[in-house]
Amino acid sequence: MIRLYCFVIFCLLLAGCASHPSSSIHKSQPIDRPIYLRGVFTWWDAEPQYQLHPVSGKHGVWMTQAQLMADGRPYEWKIGDKDWNCGTDFGYLLDDKPMILDKPRKADSCAEFNSFKFTPEKDGVYQFFLDINGTYPHVYIKMKPEE
């Protein structure tokens, strides 16, 4: 009987570990297909004007930009390919706290539902970065410098 209880507890622990996002290995890997900034402002579609491109002189760093309005509401967004494939479906890794300008956040490359949130403080063009250097990918947002 004790063996049965031990087996049941073991199975429950194993099932719990398998369903927790941090137990999966969703680490950085090379980008081998077009990826896009996708969110409420694109109706979650992969729009050509929001495709990320490698940043010149910065190996493993990708960027695109978007015009955002500071209306007090958060923008929900992710970075993903056109089909949301695991490996290029970037959302938050650890928590759903809103993004802070210029502060990198770890990303999960297989984040089925974990969209980032960002509330701009002023209207403008914002640059969205994906850095795949290191163990885990990171995302961050910068306000585009005025020309």
Side-chain angles (χ1 to χ4, degrees), residues 73-91:
R73 292 181 285 181
Y75 285 87
E76 285 194 46
W77 60 278
K78 291 176 64 178
I79 293 172
D81 67 20
K82 66 180 182 78
D83 296 318
W84 298 111
N85 288 304
C86 182
T88 51
D89 182 3
F90 299 93

Side-chain angles (χ1 to χ4, degrees), residues 7-74:
F7 178 75
V8 170
I9 290 171
F10 173 76
C11 288
L12 290 172
L13 288 172
L14 188 61
C17 290
S19 65
H20 192 275
S22 65
S23 68
S24 301
I25 299 175
H26 299 153
K27 298 183 178 189
S28 290
Q29 58 187 19
I31 305 295
D32 62 355
R33 64 189 76 124
I35 54 174
Y36 304 87
L37 177 65
R38 302 176 69 173
V40 294
F41 48 90
T42 69
W43 296 96
W44 297 98
D45 290 334
E47 299 282 339
Q49 67 267 32
Y50 298 114
Q51 182 176 346
L52 279 80
H53 297 281
V55 175
S56 179
K58 292 189 176 186
H59 176 76
V61 179
W62 298 68
M63 190 270 296
T64 193
Q65 56 191 25
Q67 176 79 37
L68 302 180
M69 293 182 359
D71 60 4
R73 292 181 285 181

Side-chain angles (χ1 to χ4, degrees), residues 69-75 98-99 117-122 126:
M69 293 182 359
D71 60 4
R73 292 181 285 181
Y75 285 87
M99 295 281 303
K117 294 179 181 80
F118 174 66
T119 305
E121 292 184 12
K122 61 182 188 175
Y126 290 83

